[in-house]
Amino acid sequence: MNQHSTDHAHCDHEQCDCDHDHEHDHGPLAELVTVRDWLRYAVTRFNRTGIFCGHGTNDSYDEAVWLLLGSLALPLERLEPFLDACIPAEERIALFEAIERRADERVPTAYILGEAWLGDFRFTVDERVIVPRSFFAELLEDGLAGWIDEPEAVTSALDMCTGSGCLAVLMAHAFPGAEITAADLSEDALDVALQNVTDYGLDARIELVQSDVFSALDGRRYDLILSNPPYVTGDAMDTLPPEYLHEPRMALAAGDDGLDVVRRLIAEGAAHLNPDGLLAVEVGHNRGIVEEAFPDLPFTWLSTRGGDDMVFVLRRKIFPAASPEHHETDPGGLRAMSNNRPILLVEDNPDDEALALHAFSKNQITNPVIVVHDGAEALDYLFGTGSYAGNNGPLPAVVMLDLKLPRIDGLEVLRHIRADSRTTLLPVVVLTTSRESLDLQQAYNLGANSYVRKPVDFERFVQVIGLLGRYWLEVNESSDASTRNGY
């Protein structure tokens, strides 16, 4: 035994103030010195407590690296140069507390650090918003290429269910000429979003709106509506890992099947898109649920590094006029109309288009509505040519045809329809503002089934659409020749 040990053995324990008896002479605070030490400790703690990594990392190691580097204000992409750096005692206490919160309380690292990242973009977050994570971060890197031909041409875009505002900020960078609306029901979330918008100097381009889906956006239209809405099913909510329970429930839960908000986006989205607009919605692993709820909608599912079935897109022209059959109300009894074959609306006037779609919705006509804006596009859709090449879906239950159309006028469209054996019996209703008697006569001579002048009065217009819907979709019996059999 050396002299120091001998002396210590004979000293009064209660009186001894030797350094090695200090409170932190043992345990992590005393024994862990370097970043490497603390990294090993954090990984072990996380593995032993079984943390769940679902907020931007894949495993306990990545989670520990993020927590350590973030806590020490070190660059997140450069671990190696700091591995053998010593951590001062005063920093170790905060680091130890952060690791314990992550391991024992299962608080997400983003909340502990007060920040989250989407690619190169940093965002302030706290428990008023969900931790940013979205497949849109990748898709916006190239401005939704393949669906948005010219990002600079996008002049208006909506981020629905914006949360922290992260996707609105990414949209502002992807579409430099666009004015962005960022909407959310939560006032608390919008407060966080405001901080992020301000941090990026985008106050003049991003407008924050408190809205229950589209409720506060009447009359607004956009080139692009993007949404990462709540979509967690009831069963999944009951089995969420503890980390997710720190997030706002309203930002996750979306009814039994996870589609409460998605239904509204599809049902009401058409009225808020410009004629060539696009709706893009993230639904996680719910593709099967979405397609079962909307069996007649031609969803396109986008590919990302994280999966190919997480985000769908719909063009404005193929939107339904109302929500799917799961909608709870059906005052007019129209849910069971026809066999849910689509309505083809051929209309080049955006105001008349919006009016017709609103009338379909108000009358609870739930058949999908395909909207085309000129005669050539109408023929392409019907005969599977041009941009609709390969379209083998059912023919429409009825065509509602305007007469004064670009490229090919309505009477010529009607002539083509009646001249082809595949469509000769297809019901065609001329829906026009024309009061020319010659138009009326020619339309019937070419085989129009009905000729209806659009009422100027809105309520009367809604009533007329309801009558047309009831007759052609419920009362009328369609011939087998009006389907695409043999196409």
Side-chain angles (χ1 to χ4, degrees):
M1 184 177 293
N2 62 34
Q3 183 62 43
H4 181 77
S5 298
T6 303
D7 291 344
H8 182 253
H10 291 87
C11 72
D12 186 315
H13 180 73
E14 295 184 1
Q15 300 294 324
C16 181
D17 60 357
C18 299
D19 289 345
H20 57 271
D21 274 341
H22 286 179
E23 181 181 356
H24 299 313
D25 271 4
H26 303 285
L29 291 172
E31 298 172 6
L32 304 179
V33 177
T34 66
V35 172
R36 189 187 304 273
D37 295 337
W38 281 94
L39 176 60
R40 198 284 308 161
Y41 174 77
V43 172
T44 298
R45 286 285 287 126
F46 295 166
N47 284 337
R48 285 176 175 168
T49 57
I51 68 165
F52 185 85
C53 299
H55 293 102
T57 63
N58 297 317
D59 53 41
S60 294
Y61 176 82
D62 288 342
E63 190 86 11
V65 170
W66 179 19
L67 181 58
L68 263 64
L69 294 179
S71 298
L72 297 172
L74 296 174
L76 297 183
E77 71 283 0
R78 301 186 65 189
L79 170 64
E80 292 295 328
F82 304 103
L83 276 172
D84 295 313
C86 294
I87 301 176
E90 59 271 17
E91 287 187 307
R92 295 181 208 171
I93 297 174
L95 191 56
F96 176 74
E97 292 174 349
I99 293 171
E100 297 309 294
R101 288 188 69 199
R102 183 69 188 91
D104 293 335
E105 300 176 34
R106 304 288 286 274
V107 178
T109 294
Y111 291 153
I112 295 172
L113 298 178
E115 67 177 22
W117 293 78
L118 288 178
D120 295 331
F121 291 81
R122 177 201 175 277
F123 298 99
T124 294
V125 296
D126 58 35
E127 295 191 20
R128 292 174 292 176
V129 295
I130 62 171
V131 177
R133 52 191 183 277
S134 176
F135 296 101
F136 282 121
E138 176 187 339
L139 295 168
L140 288 170
E141 289 175 0
D142 57 6
L144 284 171
W147 292 91
I148 303 292
D149 293 332
E150 299 180 24
E152 295 78 9
V154 176
T155 61
S156 58
L158 168 64
D159 174 21
M160 178 59 73
C161 305
T162 192
S164 63
C166 57
L167 294 182
V169 170
L170 297 187
M171 292 166 73
H173 284 81
F175 309 114
E179 297 296 317
I180 312 294
T181 301
D184 203 287
L185 178 60
S186 168
E187 186 175 354
D188 285 341
L190 291 173
D191 287 341
V192 177
L194 176 60
Q195 181 170 347
N196 286 313
V197 169
T198 302
D199 287 346
Y200 280 95
L202 292 169
D203 305 70
R205 288 188 54 208
I206 298 179
E207 177 191 11
L208 300 174
V209 177
Q210 186 174 13
S211 182
D212 183 1
V213 193
F214 294 107
S215 65
L217 301 173
D218 284 350
R220 300 200 192 192
R221 288 188 172 201
Y222 304 92
D223 296 329
L224 170 66
I225 297 175
L226 182 151
S227 183
N228 182 15
Y231 55 72
V232 182
T233 66
D235 287 343
M237 285 297 299
D238 292 337
T239 59
L240 284 177
E243 282 81 355
Y244 293 103
L245 302 182
H246 292 274
E247 297 184 300
R249 182 179 176 86
M250 68 180 294
L252 299 172
D256 289 343
D257 64 0
L259 299 186
D260 282 1
V261 179
V262 173
R263 283 194 177 86
R264 294 183 61 186
L265 291 170
I266 292 176
E268 303 170 34
H272 296 278
L273 280 171
N274 290 324
D276 293 320
L278 183 74
L279 173 71
V281 181
E282 183 170 329
V283 295
H285 296 283
N286 290 350
R287 174 175 178 170
I289 300 173
V290 171
E291 291 181 332
E292 182 180 355
F294 299 90
D296 297 300
L297 279 182
F299 295 103
T300 298
W301 297 89
L302 304 187
S303 296
T304 67
R305 291 185 293 270
D308 297 335
D309 304 318
M310 311 298 183
V311 175
F312 71 74
V313 293
L314 288 171
R315 284 285 185 199
R316 167 64 184 81
K317 59 191 176 186
I318 58 175
F319 259 76
S323 52
E325 61 184 1
H326 292 77
H327 198 284
E328 293 180 359
T329 60
D330 184 27
L334 300 186
R335 183 184 300 125
M337 276 187 173
S338 187
N339 52 9
N340 211 33
R341 282 163 48 202
I343 300 165
L344 179 62
L345 177 64
V346 189
E347 177 60 73
D348 68 315
N349 185 307
D351 293 331
D352 286 349
E353 175 193 337
L355 193 62
L357 291 171
H358 183 76
F360 288 136
S361 180
K362 195 172 181 67
N363 281 283
Q364 292 292 309
I365 296 174
T366 64
N367 296 60
V369 179
I370 310 299
V371 182
V372 297
H373 300 104
D374 60 63
E377 188 181 4
L379 293 176
D380 281 344
Y381 176 79
L382 290 171
F383 298 115
T385 57
S387 62
Y388 293 94
N391 179 20
N392 293 317
L395 282 173
V398 62
V399 177
M400 294 192 176
L401 178 67
D402 194 10
L403 292 183
K404 309 303 181 184
L405 295 169
R407 299 174 68 188
I408 299 177
D409 70 26
L411 291 173
E412 190 62 23
V413 171
L414 183 56
R415 190 189 312 275
H416 279 79
I417 290 173
R418 292 296 176 244
D420 194 294
S421 61
R422 298 168 294 183
T423 55
T424 188
L425 298 179
L426 181 64
V428 178
V429 175
V430 173
L431 188 61
T432 180
T433 57
S434 173
R435 297 189 175 277
E436 298 291 330
S437 58
L438 182 59
D439 287 339
L440 174 66
Q441 180 179 344
Q442 287 183 313
Y444 278 120
N445 286 343
L446 290 170
N449 297 89
S450 298
Y451 188 100
V452 178
R453 293 190 176 98
K454 299 174 184 175
V456 176
D457 178 72
F458 171 71
E459 293 301 327
R460 177 60 181 160
F461 187 89
V462 171
Q463 184 181 20
V464 166
I465 290 294
L467 292 172
L468 290 172
R470 285 187 179 280
Y471 178 74
W472 289 109
L473 302 175
E474 182 179 29
V475 177
N476 182 64
E477 293 286 341
S478 295
S479 166
D480 289 342
S482 63
T483 66
R484 290 184 196 267
N485 293 336
Y487 245 51

